[in-house]
Amino acid sequence: MRDPQRSIGIGIVAPSSYAPDPEGAERAIALLRASGYRVILHCDPHQRMERFAASDAERLAHLHAASRDPEVDIVMALRGGYGLSRLLPKIDWPLLAGSGKLFVGHSDFTALHMGLLVQGGAISFAGPMLCDDFSRQPPSPFMLAHFHDCLHQPSATITVEQSGNPALQASGVLWGGNLAMLTHLVGSAYFPQVDGGILFLEDINEHPFRIERMLLQLLHAGVLARQSAIVLGDFSGQRLADIDNGYSFESVLALLRTTLSVPIVTGLPFGHIADKVTLAVGAPATLKADGSGWQLSMQGYPALIRG
């Protein structure tokens, strides 16, 4: 158990790609320290190896070292990109799941969230990373506030005012993350079997037809129909062409809603955006929506409650 008199320690690991802007990483570290956190570097933000932050063995060792470090309360990813897939078979999952650390990240880090869910349902957090969330100039006050509030209390509620969503009330395990990473894991030992869950999804730089193809893969695999609700976050960075002829993300959403009986809501402030929430992956959650907006409540997850 953490000593309540000790400031919260954030261990930085780089299981995926390197920091494209090391100065930005240093700026993010300074911000966290100024916010009262102790930052423990288990990776070198200046190191690079091809498109990775270090060799596979080094990145794996950093992840394990942070999980063992008694001074670390939160294990945060340096950034996403690509690389965790190469580490999955070698990760000491019982070590991570039993460490008591709060693992935080998104994008490529989705693979770690899913692996932890498979390993006994360990809860982790889809949230900001050192780069580019804390390194932004300026960082998002919304992101900072929600990161702090979510991790310091065992419940949190996200309220979205947005019309056009179906009225519903659902409950279940909150899970999901980056759409490309989830479809990549289908059929593997790192893809959790969640029935009656609330599945959240996001992605970036994916053309609508690729988004549709990945969603159809989850549909054909039986994943989507087993959920109680689906919540869509940010899907930005798309480039439409003349050949699309009006086909867009809205077309994908319309197809999904007519094909699937599971309710789908949009507008989750999560993804590759500045103003993102922090989500407790694997936690019990409830979702309530009406014609004017919706609320997602998470509870029963481990938090850094000060003594």
Side-chain angles (χ1 to χ4, degrees):
M1 181 178 295
R2 185 181 68 85
D3 179 357
Q5 303 304 315
R6 174 175 61 78
S7 59
I8 294 167
I10 298 181
I12 306 298
V13 297
S16 304
S17 296
Y18 61 81
D21 177 16
E23 291 184 0
E26 296 294 343
R27 185 169 60 246
I29 292 168
L31 171 65
L32 287 172
R33 286 174 173 161
S35 300
Y37 296 102
R38 289 177 304 107
V39 178
I40 302 104
L41 293 175
H42 282 277
C43 65
D44 180 357
H46 296 267
Q47 188 174 356
R48 300 183 179 191
M49 181 178 178
E50 295 181 331
R51 67 173 297 123
F52 309 104
S55 69
D56 290 0
E58 288 174 304
R59 288 182 287 116
L60 182 68
H62 299 160
L63 186 60
H64 288 162
S67 301
R68 294 189 182 99
D69 190 340
E71 297 298 310
V72 168
D73 304 295
I74 299 169
V75 178
M76 179 182 290
L78 177 76
R79 62 159 299 196
Y82 171 68
L84 252 167
S85 297
R86 297 169 64 149
L87 306 184
L88 292 176
K90 300 178 182 178
I91 291 175
D92 186 340
W93 294 105
L95 168 64
L96 270 63
S99 68
K101 315 299 185 189
L102 308 186
F103 292 86
V104 184
H106 67 280
S107 190
D108 199 50
F109 211 66
T110 299
L112 193 80
H113 296 313
M114 296 302 99
L116 285 170
L117 264 187
V118 171
Q119 295 295 317
I123 295 174
S124 54
F125 295 84
M129 298 182 286
L130 196 73
C131 307
D132 296 314
D133 294 303
F134 291 96
S135 64
R136 292 182 187 273
Q137 289 185 300
S140 162
F142 177 88
M143 177 276 295
L144 292 172
H146 204 273
F147 169 75
H148 180 275
D149 291 348
C150 182
L151 267 66
H152 282 79
Q153 54 194 18
S155 65
T157 297
I158 299 160
T159 301
V160 174
E161 296 181 3
Q162 181 174 324
S163 59
N165 286 307
L168 69 102
Q169 183 165 336
S171 61
V173 171
L174 180 66
W175 73 294
N178 181 261
L179 176 59
M181 290 304 299
L182 288 171
T183 55
H184 160 61
L185 295 173
V186 169
S188 75
Y190 313 104
F191 190 85
Q193 299 300 310
V194 179
D195 295 326
I198 298 175
L199 174 63
F200 68 93
L201 301 168
E202 63 82 24
D203 218 320
I204 189 171
N205 295 334
E206 295 286 1
H207 190 283
F209 85 82
R210 294 191 180 96
I211 295 172
E212 180 177 305
R213 186 164 58 195
M214 289 187 283
L215 288 168
L216 289 177
Q217 182 176 348
L218 294 180
L219 176 67
H220 299 331
V223 175
L224 299 186
R226 296 200 305 269
Q227 307 310 309
S228 62
I230 298 169
V231 185
L232 299 183
D234 184 71
F235 286 84
S236 56
Q238 307 159 11
R239 289 188 178 183
L240 300 182
D242 290 341
I243 198 171
D244 289 302
N245 193 33
Y247 174 80
S248 65
F249 180 79
E250 286 67 30
S251 306
V252 176
L253 180 60
L255 172 69
L256 199 62
R257 279 178 164 162
T258 56
T259 305
L260 193 65
S261 60
V262 176
I264 302 167
V265 301
T266 62
L268 177 68
F270 182 77
H272 292 71
I273 52 176
D275 294 335
K276 64 168 57 67
V277 294
T278 298
L279 301 167
V281 180
T286 57
L287 176 65
K288 298 179 181 180
D290 57 28
S292 61
W294 52 266
Q295 278 192 333
L296 175 66
S297 298
M298 307 169 286
Q299 57 275 332
Y301 57 82
L304 299 168
I305 304 173
R306 292 186 180 275

